[in-house]
Amino acid sequence: MAATKIAIPQLAFNRVRPAPVVLVSGTEAFLADRAIRSLRDILKAEDPSLEIHDIEADQYSPGELITLASPSLFNEPRLIRVVNVEKCTDAFITETISYLARPADDTYLVLRHAGGVRGKRLLDSIRGGAGSGIEIACLELKKDTEKTEFAASEFAAAGRRVTGGAIRALVAAFSEDLAELASACQQLLADDSDEITEMTVERYYSGRVETTAFTVADAAIAGRTGEALVLLRHALSSGADPVPIVAAFASKLRTMAKISGMTAPASQLASKLGLAPWQIDRGRRDLQGWNEDGLGNCIEAIAATDAQIKGLGRDPVFALERMVAVIAGRGL
């Protein structure tokens, strides 16, 4: 079956604007709720007399949409919000498709569809241009890069400066729940400091930042000295053992050393080096900004630190911090 041709604007959740019909699709409930709330606020600002009505599409009564869309005594604009369209009744599909042929004046119909095949005929009609609508796609943010972009946009929208380290720390702490991540961003926006840094995040959410040995290693290898040291201290204060931390650094540096200078595709190198293709791809990203001398110096620093924390030194914390500083400086 041929895919339906999309004939209407498809906008991001933070680009919502009024239209006779607004389809809010996708599985990310938080983004969908925010988009619908933003539309309500826009319409309320334009006309405080806005009437708001709600329909549950899975409990739809025939004639309900037409009744709510009919002009009121004083002709106030109307916002009709419909939820559970993915579970809608046959009557809702039939009557809404009929409504799309001639949407009511000064009426904004918002349809929330969370996914699935139910209501496809209705969605196809909207996407094909019936009703002169728009679609707000609210897809789940699964990748850390997507969540990082989301968090950064929260601060950008407020005109606040924030460091990359602060964004990464927030995403690490609240990656499981987008609503919590947004709430954490909003709380930090209330902070009166000029710039939000990883230290600001640490102050507010020290109990939530989940620091692993590889998180520390990633920050140091990328050259983010301050962030790496903050993460290291948090890991140690949370009871992390120095030995696995050093082991994480050693593992990543060994991979970088193995693939340094190799240009063959990751799929070809994987079996030869005993690594997974994704490890090779990640190692190549980690190698940006490094040279062979720096790699060699850092591998030596890791070996020395390993000996220090296993009995040869008196202060394992100092040894770890010195190793992190050396690696963050690329061994130079």
Side-chain angles (χ1 to χ4, degrees):
M1 182 181 296
T4 301
K5 183 178 179 180
I6 307 298
I8 61 174
Q10 292 189 299
L11 309 177
F13 75 95
N14 55 356
R15 295 291 184 267
V16 65
R17 59 174 173 79
V21 178
V22 179
L23 171 61
V24 182
S25 62
T27 56
E28 183 48 72
F30 171 77
L31 295 183
D33 290 344
R34 176 179 281 193
I36 295 170
R37 206 163 49 243
S38 296
L39 178 61
R40 178 204 62 194
D41 293 344
I42 291 170
L43 294 174
K44 269 284 190 182
E46 291 179 352
D47 191 334
S49 68
L50 177 75
E51 291 184 356
I52 301 176
H53 303 282
D54 293 299
I55 294 175
E56 295 182 19
D58 55 335
Q59 303 294 325
Y60 184 75
S61 299
E64 190 174 1
L65 175 59
I66 299 303
T67 299
L68 293 177
S70 298
S72 63
L73 181 62
F74 299 103
N75 290 321
E76 295 93 346
R78 291 169 298 281
L79 170 62
I80 302 174
R81 302 178 297 197
V82 186
V83 298
N84 301 331
V85 177
E86 70 279 1
K87 298 181 285 186
C88 63
T89 64
D90 290 340
F92 177 80
I93 295 174
T94 300
E95 293 188 7
T96 304
I97 289 177
S98 177
Y99 173 85
L100 295 176
R102 186 175 293 180
D105 294 336
D106 294 323
T107 298
Y108 306 91
L109 176 64
V110 178
L111 303 172
R112 172 69 182 120
H113 192 287
V117 298
R118 181 64 179 164
K120 183 178 183 301
R121 185 162 62 95
L122 171 59
L123 301 190
D124 287 348
S125 295
I126 297 170
R127 288 168 175 156
S132 302
I134 62 173
E135 180 172 5
I136 308 298
C138 300
L139 302 178
E140 184 179 354
L141 306 186
K142 296 182 178 180
K143 299 179 181 178
D144 281 348
T145 53
E146 295 171 332
K147 295 170 186 175
T148 297
E149 290 173 1
F150 170 80
S153 70
E154 294 286 278
F155 294 100
R160 291 293 300 276
R161 290 188 301 165
V162 60
T163 65
I167 294 292
R168 285 185 290 272
L170 275 172
V171 172
F174 299 98
S175 62
E176 298 301 317
D177 190 317
L178 192 62
E180 287 192 357
L181 176 59
S183 178
C185 292
Q186 293 304 312
Q187 183 173 357
L188 288 175
L189 285 171
D191 190 274
D192 58 5
S193 58
D194 291 335
E195 183 178 52
I196 297 167
T197 68
E198 55 265 40
M199 295 300 292
T200 316
V201 178
E202 171 73 12
R203 185 167 71 249
Y204 277 86
Y205 303 115
S206 59
R208 286 297 305 265
V209 178
E210 300 173 1
T211 305
T212 68
F214 284 97
T215 304
V216 181
D218 288 341
I221 289 169
R224 303 191 296 269
T225 307
E227 180 187 350
L229 289 171
V230 168
L231 291 171
L232 173 65
R233 290 162 190 158
H234 180 76
L236 294 172
S237 67
S238 301
D241 189 327
V243 174
I245 293 176
V246 174
F249 276 85
S251 174
K252 292 185 74 70
L253 267 292
R254 279 198 301 268
T255 298
M256 292 165 63
K258 281 182 179 180
I259 66 177
S260 179
M262 293 189 172
T263 58
S267 57
Q268 294 181 15
L269 291 176
S271 58
K272 179 180 178 181
L273 299 177
L275 299 169
W278 69 263
Q279 290 176 302
I280 296 172
D281 291 335
R282 178 58 193 264
R284 283 174 168 162
R285 290 196 298 271
D286 289 340
L287 277 168
Q288 295 178 10
W290 285 78
N291 60 37
E292 290 188 3
D293 290 340
L295 274 174
N297 293 337
C298 287
I299 289 172
E300 290 179 1
I302 291 171
T305 303
D306 187 64
Q308 290 284 312
I309 65 173
K310 290 179 178 177
L312 291 184
R314 296 181 179 180
D315 191 343
V317 174
F318 174 75
L320 281 170
E321 290 183 341
R322 183 173 57 187
M323 178 194 73
V324 167
V326 169
I327 292 173
R330 266 81 172 201
L332 303 177

